[in-house]
Structure formats: C-alpha cells, structure tokens
Amino acid sequence: MRRSPIIPARKTLTPEGVGAKIGNGIAGGTYAGEEVNSGDRLLAVDEVAERLGTGVRFIRRLISERRIRYVKVGKHVRIAESVLAAYIVAHTVPTLREARSRFRKAA
C-alpha cells in the first residue's frame, strides 16, 4: 500500500503580513518598474478582456502562462488596474522615429 505524500499546511497570514497575493509577489511590490498599489480596483477577467479589446480566452491564457500578475480571491481571479497599466506599457511597441532617436544620440 502506497502512502500519499504529506502536503504542507497553508500558511496563514498574520496582521503584519496581510496582503493580496499577486502572482508570485505581494500587493505593494513592483511589477515591470511599476508600483502595485494595494488600493487598486481589482478587475474581473471579462473586464480586463473588454478593456484590452480581446477575448476572455486570451486573458486566461496570459494568467495560465503567468505572463501577467493576478490576485486569487478564493476561486476567482482578479487583475489590479495598475498591473494592467504596467502590462500595457511593457508591451507597447515604439514607433520607428522613437526607436531611431535612441540610437542617433552622440556621446
């Protein structure tokens, strides 16, 4: 007879460590150079999809591939507004003029 592996108990948050877990970090941390504000409004997946003009499936894929930070509230997944804004900034492609101006500056 095989024994099932011992599963460690979940850590409980103390008042000092209370924070919404976002992806691999804690609210109030940084993401792509942006501060994650714990007072941000948390958006549902369908709200994020609507704001980006994409389908819900695309947002769920970003979450499953951990390409965007998210908050788990029970079984529900939420994305902070600041995280969404940081994702948009990080994935904005500069124009050719902006890209060229970086390389033409003389030292």
Side-chain angles (χ1 to χ4, degrees):
M1 184 186 308
R2 286 188 170 176
R3 290 187 178 187
S4 61
I6 298 173
I7 300 171
R10 287 188 170 186
K11 293 181 181 177
T12 57
L13 295 176
T14 60
E16 300 83 35
V18 172
K21 188 165 172 67
I22 300 179
N24 293 331
I26 301 291
T30 60
Y31 174 72
E34 296 286 325
E35 284 291 321
V36 178
N37 186 359
S38 60
D40 271 351
R41 181 167 178 261
L42 297 177
L43 304 170
V45 174
D46 55 343
E47 291 176 307
V48 174
E50 184 179 329
R51 285 192 183 195
L52 291 180
T54 64
V56 173
R57 186 174 179 181
F58 175 71
I59 305 303
R60 294 241 180 246
R61 193 176 84 220
L62 290 178
I63 291 167
S64 68
E65 294 174 357
R66 295 200 175 188
R67 292 172 36 193
I68 191 166
R69 295 178 85 176
Y70 59 92
V71 179
K72 290 281 287 194
V73 182
K75 66 178 184 176
H76 304 287
V77 175
R78 301 288 185 249
I79 298 174
E81 284 182 325
S82 62
V83 170
L84 182 60
Y87 180 83
I88 292 169
V89 168
H91 290 84
T92 300
V93 179
T95 63
L96 286 175
R97 179 171 283 178
E98 291 171 344
R100 283 188 208 146
S101 66
R102 279 191 247 148
F103 296 115
R104 293 197 176 190
K105 294 180 181 175

